[in-house]
Amino acid sequence: AEQHRFRDLQAKIDERRKVRNETFVAYQRKKKEIEEWSIPPGPSAEEKCEIEDEECEQLHFLMEPIVKELKGYKRRLRELRQKRVEAAVERQRKVDGFLSNAPLPKGFEESLEAPEEQTVPTPEVEKRPWEETKQAADKAFKDKDWNTALSLYSKALESEELEALQRATLLSNRALCYNRLFEWNKSLEDAVDATVLEAEWPKGWLRRAT
């Protein structure tokens, strides 16, 4: 009986050794296979270019509706700004509209197609710098060079020798330049300043109303 038990025990030990040896051999074989593995190379330069082109095309398709929408917003914003300017001008015209319908002083011309000439008589003396600048601005205006005329009128307004009516005249002329350049708000500002300086000067009020 003891011998039979010993043989059974020996058989179990041999079986375990066999399983262990087989497991160890399988492990060594697998380890060798893993060591022989190699990391595959990345994409070639040509493949990279193709990938980038594909990504760019996808980005283009994604951005196209966004860019289109932004352009639409910009267009609407420009239209809204233009409408706001037109509405402001229209409101000011309604406020001052009575001026254009009121009878003009006797001998006063309604035409606003030319800049104002100085109406205050001056003695025959050497012209001051601002007067020469104003004459150059008047000539530029007659030549329809609005930007040059605008710049020269602005330069003339920098003079400290100007009297109230002279400054009002220059402001009125500059307002007309802004009007020709479709800068309605600035035109209205200069016309209002002219009427503030010379409240009894009719041409300033007529410029403001129109």
Side-chain angles (χ1 to χ4, degrees), residues 43 46-56:
E46 184 176 356
E47 290 173 341
K48 287 182 180 179
C49 290
E50 291 179 358
I51 294 172
E52 290 177 358
D53 290 343
E54 185 176 355
E55 291 177 350
C56 289

Side-chain angles (χ1 to χ4, degrees), residues 13-30:
I13 293 173
D14 293 340
E15 183 67 24
R16 289 180 180 178
R17 286 177 178 173
K18 180 180 179 182
V19 172
R20 186 185 62 185
N21 292 337
E22 290 176 354
T23 303
F24 179 76
V25 171
Y27 167 77
Q28 291 292 335
R29 184 170 58 251
K30 194 67 177 178

Side-chain angles (χ1 to χ4, degrees), residues 149-160:
L150 177 64
S151 176
L152 290 171
Y153 284 132
S154 298
K155 183 178 179 181
L157 281 165
E158 295 175 359
S159 175
E160 298 180 356

